[in-house]
């Protein structure tokens, strides 16, 4: 009677959401302080002061229609110019305001971009494991076919040979996500350079441009002084999908963008297509007030130092116990190897100690579990006893 | 190379948007004060004070995570409860918070609802002319087929015989829009009662429920003391698609809802499907801050008296000149009959006098032109000379 696939999608809770709900229930039984919920990637660091200050300033200086009226579909022209200025100053990006299409956050950026690229039912979108599970949902929505490149479990960079093998005449785009959810790794300049060379060669060989979708909501959440790399510098046909959800801690107010630099093949045509795809799904414009907020606050972040302290606490604590962990360089996730390689069982065992961690299977990377550390540092400290007892099960 | 249909959609400006752009250009040539732009339905009445007050109050009393964090996908539970309380108090609706799915405005409400209902490629969605042109876009996006019922040009109510003839075993839903864009008419209790009876009979006869989608962004913008009717009272299988864009003058901040009362056939399954459809298109949640704003301000409106004064000014002025106009009872549109029945030519002729009015063809109702009166009252006064000269062309 209703759209079956949409029903299934609404009915099938993600493993992450199910664990989170389990934690809420369990808290009622054993007490909130005894549940160690590392399941969700919901920023806990407050938005920088600039956000509140900008809203108050806008309320005091703008008319209601200026703040609450429609913006053009691709976004407020002044905001787009301000984002271009920032990208040019910071990354020497050479972009204009007209290259930005403002969206209702990363999910909208991805859903719209994919809907713009997929033309035929068997058009392929290549994802690199481990990958954000909603990619599958948005690729399905666009009518495309997901092709997964197996994970590089040695360095959690990118296995270029395996990627090369996955590229076909049907490949429309490759999605990368760095800093990565769930592995917490950051692609090196070498990795990106190799990727750029491969995609350029393969595009020439296959006779059509392969687009690179750079999904980078964690761009600025990066540690150890690692440089932030501007992906289009490594490959011209790069579409940047960005969100302010993590950098400015604004996930609920839904604002991000799609950036299509002029260097992208058919950039003008693609931009027009993005406008059409957004329109078709009922995105009229990104929220006006928060567009203006990010126009003022772009380049600022919440206090990444809090995540960094959590990262060290967790990584040091877990490796001391004996766990094998991927060294986290960005985002706010740690990827932990299940001692016996069974990540679903590890998640089940962890629940016995009220520890909530997500099996990597959900991300196309069985054998690992994701531990989100955008949490209260006290919870990390209190959880160590439980992690120790869990580890003992495997000895 | 890109998704052709999305390119076409992005490339094809709506007649409304093209006229608006033409007016902006023309203003540079003849002066802003000499262009009479009646093309766009963009609220000019400021949001009620409650909006600004609520935002300031939230900024002062809530944490950043409370205001800026994710809400659950269907919306903030307290907000949904507050909307239910309001609907119950005002319309004796008998609904719960759990019946509401918060959206990014009316377009999102419609796109998600249609995506939830269309299962097979030839599933039919019935629209009643004159109708909002984006219905076609959202029906296409859902993969359904638009079936148009010709307009009732006598009363601009609803020709039930023609509607009955349009209903088939393939009919999934009928969309109504009252107060209507573009005709400015409001369906009477008799019309809705007749519609309810017909849909009930036809559902029984065809062996499946025909859903009624009540698209009502103009619900509270209604004149002459007409009562606001709660459509589900007239037909149980009604899904209400609402937006605060017009009532609270918040079109740029994208907040509305889909209301699926328990009485709707398969309401729980349908609600789950709506969650899936929203997820598939990348709607994570409606903007958190503005959800909370409408939770506080629901039931208030901008100053409808301003629109009412405009309505009288325009209707009296135009009928005095000699134009044949549909009497406007709601929304902020007046539907004017092209004197020779050629609405496209009328729009072209009007441009000679720098008058911008939209041909009804766009709305499935040739022979009429839409005049939006959410404009500066002075512009209405200044435009009368031009309307008079335009009328003289036809004498």
């Amino acid at each position: 009677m209703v759209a079956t696939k949409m029903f299934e999608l609404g009915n099938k809770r993600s493993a992450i959401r199910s664990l989170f709900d389990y934690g809420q229930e369990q808290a009622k039984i054993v007490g909130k302080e005894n549940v160690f919920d590392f399941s969700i990637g919901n920023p806990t660091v407050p938005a920088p002061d600039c956000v509140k200050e900008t809203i108050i300033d806008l309320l005091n200086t703008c008319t209601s229609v200026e703040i609450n009226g429609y913006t053009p579909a691709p976004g407020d022209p002044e905001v787009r110019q301000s984002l271009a200025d920032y990208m040019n100053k910071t990354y020497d990006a050479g972009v204009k305001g007209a290259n930005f299409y403002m969206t209702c956050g990363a999910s909208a950026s991805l859903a719209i971009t994919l809907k713009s690229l997929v033309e035929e039912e068997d058009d392929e979108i290549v994802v690199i494991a481990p990958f954000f599970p909603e990619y599958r949902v948005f690729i399905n929505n666009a009518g495309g076919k997901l092709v997964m490149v197996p994970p590089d479990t040695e360095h959690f960079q990118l296995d270029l040979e395996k990627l090369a093998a996955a590229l076909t005449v049907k490949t429309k785009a490759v999605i990368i996500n760095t800093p990565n959810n769930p592995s917490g790794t950051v692609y090196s300049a070498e990795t990106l350079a190799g990727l750029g060379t491969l995609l350029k060669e393969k595009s020439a060989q296959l006779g059509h441009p392969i687009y690179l979708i750079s999904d980078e909501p964690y761009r600025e959440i990066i540690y150890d002084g690692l440089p932030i790399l501007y992906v289009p510098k490594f490959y011209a046909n790069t579409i940047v999908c960005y969100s302010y959800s993590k950098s400015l801690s604004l996930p609920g107010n839904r604002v991000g963008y799609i950036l299509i630099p002029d260097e992208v093949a058919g950039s003008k045509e693609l931009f027009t297509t993005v406008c059409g795809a957004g329109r078709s799904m009922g995105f009229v414009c990104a929220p006006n007030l928060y567009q203006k907020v990010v126009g003022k606050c772009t380049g600022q972040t919440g206090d990444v130092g809090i995540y960094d302290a959590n990262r060290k606490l967790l990584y040091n604590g877990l490796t001391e116990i004996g766990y094998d962990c991927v060294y986290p360089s960005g985002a706010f996730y740690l990827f932990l190897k299940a001692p016996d390689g069974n990540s679903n069982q590890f998640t089940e065992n962890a629940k016995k100690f009220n520890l909530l961690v997500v099996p990597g299977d959900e991300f196309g990377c069985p054998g690992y579990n994701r531990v989100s550390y955008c949490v209260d540092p006290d919870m990390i400290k209190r959880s160590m006893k439980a992690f120790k007892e869990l580890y003992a099960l495997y000895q």
Side-chain angles (χ1 to χ4, degrees), chain A:
Chain A
M1 201 159 79
V2 291
T4 318
K5 282 183 188 169
M6 295 304 110
F7 173 75
E8 284 164 6
L9 194 57
N11 202 36
K12 193 194 151 223
R13 312 301 305 277
S14 76
I16 301 170
R17 186 57 73 165
S18 302
L19 272 171
F20 177 77
D21 292 347
Y22 170 84
Q24 303 283 92
E25 287 307 308
Q26 194 66 2
K28 291 178 194 162
I29 300 166
V30 301
K32 209 180 161 187
E33 70 287 1
N34 296 313
V35 175
F36 312 113
D37 184 353
F38 294 96
S39 66
I40 292 260
N42 201 356
T44 45
V45 165
D49 293 342
C50 171
V51 168
K52 183 173 168 179
E53 286 161 13
T54 302
I55 295 175
I56 290 172
D57 184 52
L58 290 166
L59 288 173
N60 287 333
T61 58
C62 295
T63 66
S64 172
V65 174
E66 284 167 339
I67 297 172
N68 294 310
Y70 291 112
T71 74
D76 181 316
E78 279 183 43
V79 170
R80 294 158 76 204
Q81 188 54 52
S82 140
L83 304 191
D85 292 345
Y86 172 75
M87 295 302 279
N88 293 339
K89 195 182 66 186
T90 313
Y91 304 110
D92 189 26
V95 294
K96 305 185 299 281
N99 298 120
F100 289 81
Y101 177 92
M102 305 299 297
T103 66
C104 294
S107 291
S109 298
L110 289 164
I112 292 170
T113 299
L114 289 163
K115 181 104 182 160
S116 304
L117 292 177
V118 174
E119 170 76 346
E120 311 277 346
E121 211 173 309
D122 52 356
D123 278 350
E124 295 171 354
I125 305 293
V126 175
V127 304
I128 322 281
F131 66 93
F132 181 49
E134 293 298 279
Y135 292 169
R136 189 178 297 281
V137 174
F138 305 142
I139 293 169
N140 283 343
N141 179 66
K145 187 179 149 194
L146 182 144
V147 173
M148 187 185 85
V149 175
D152 156 25
T153 49
E154 196 175 344
H155 305 291
F156 283 94
Q157 292 284 313
L158 181 50
D159 188 324
L160 289 176
E161 273 181 44
K162 285 180 186 156
L163 173 57
L167 302 174
T168 76
V169 286
K170 288 291 179 188
T171 307
K172 271 296 169 91
V174 174
I175 309 180
I176 60 166
N177 173 223
T178 173
N180 186 260
N181 171 14
S183 74
T185 52
V186 176
Y187 284 179
S188 65
E190 290 68 31
T191 297
L192 291 176
L195 173 64
T197 305
L198 172 65
L199 291 182
K200 207 173 158 184
E201 282 171 10
K202 277 286 184 178
S203 293
Q205 186 186 323
L206 296 168
H208 72 277
I210 297 170
Y211 291 104
L212 179 62
I213 301 172
S214 182
D215 173 32
E216 41 192 75
Y218 301 98
R219 188 200 289 151
E220 295 83 3
I221 302 177
I222 193 164
Y223 311 107
D224 302 327
L226 283 182
I228 300 176
L229 303 172
Y230 180 64
V231 179
K233 291 275 184 209
F234 295 89
Y235 182 58
N237 282 327
T238 300
I239 302 161
V240 177
C241 288
Y242 186 74
S243 158
Y244 290 90
S245 293
K246 316 295 177 175
S247 58
L248 290 177
S249 294
L250 301 178
N253 285 309
R254 314 306 307 138
V255 59
Y257 60 74
I258 301 167
L259 169 58
I260 307 174
D262 286 344
E263 289 75 14
V264 169
S267 63
K268 281 212 168 58
E269 187 190 20
L270 182 56
F271 195 91
T272 301
T273 308
V274 159
C275 293
R279 181 179 167 192
S280 85
M281 293 189 279
F283 291 104
V284 174
C285 62
N288 181 339
L289 182 71
Y290 275 84
Q291 283 191 51
K292 291 183 169 62
V293 166
V294 304
K296 285 283 181 201
C297 305
T298 194
Q300 300 206 33
T301 62
D303 184 356
V304 176
I306 297 175
Y307 297 137
D308 194 13
N310 280 357
R311 174 181 76 116
K312 289 171 178 157
L313 202 58
L314 188 66
Y315 181 76
N316 294 339
L318 291 178
T319 49
E320 239 169 65
I321 291 170
Y323 285 106
D324 188 355
C325 301
V326 180
Y327 182 78
S329 303
F332 33 55
Y333 307 107
L334 178 143
F335 220 31
L336 172 156
K337 200 169 180 177
D340 65 350
N342 186 336
S343 40
N344 279 312
Q345 189 56 53
F346 186 79
T347 287
E348 286 311 308
N349 286 341
K351 281 161 81 174
K352 292 175 194 159
F353 302 95
N354 294 312
L355 278 170
L356 308 183
V357 297
V358 183
D361 307 58
E362 175 98 342
F363 304 93
C365 191
Y368 289 79
N369 292 72
R370 187 187 80 168
V371 190
S372 291
Y373 56 82
C374 50
V375 297
D376 178 4
D378 279 342
M379 190 187 88
I380 299 179
K381 288 177 199 158
R382 281 185 281 113
S383 72
M384 284 299 143
K385 187 168 166 282
F387 271 115
K388 213 165 187 167
E389 290 168 349
L390 173 59
Y391 190 74
L393 282 191
Y394 289 89
Q395 302 317 307

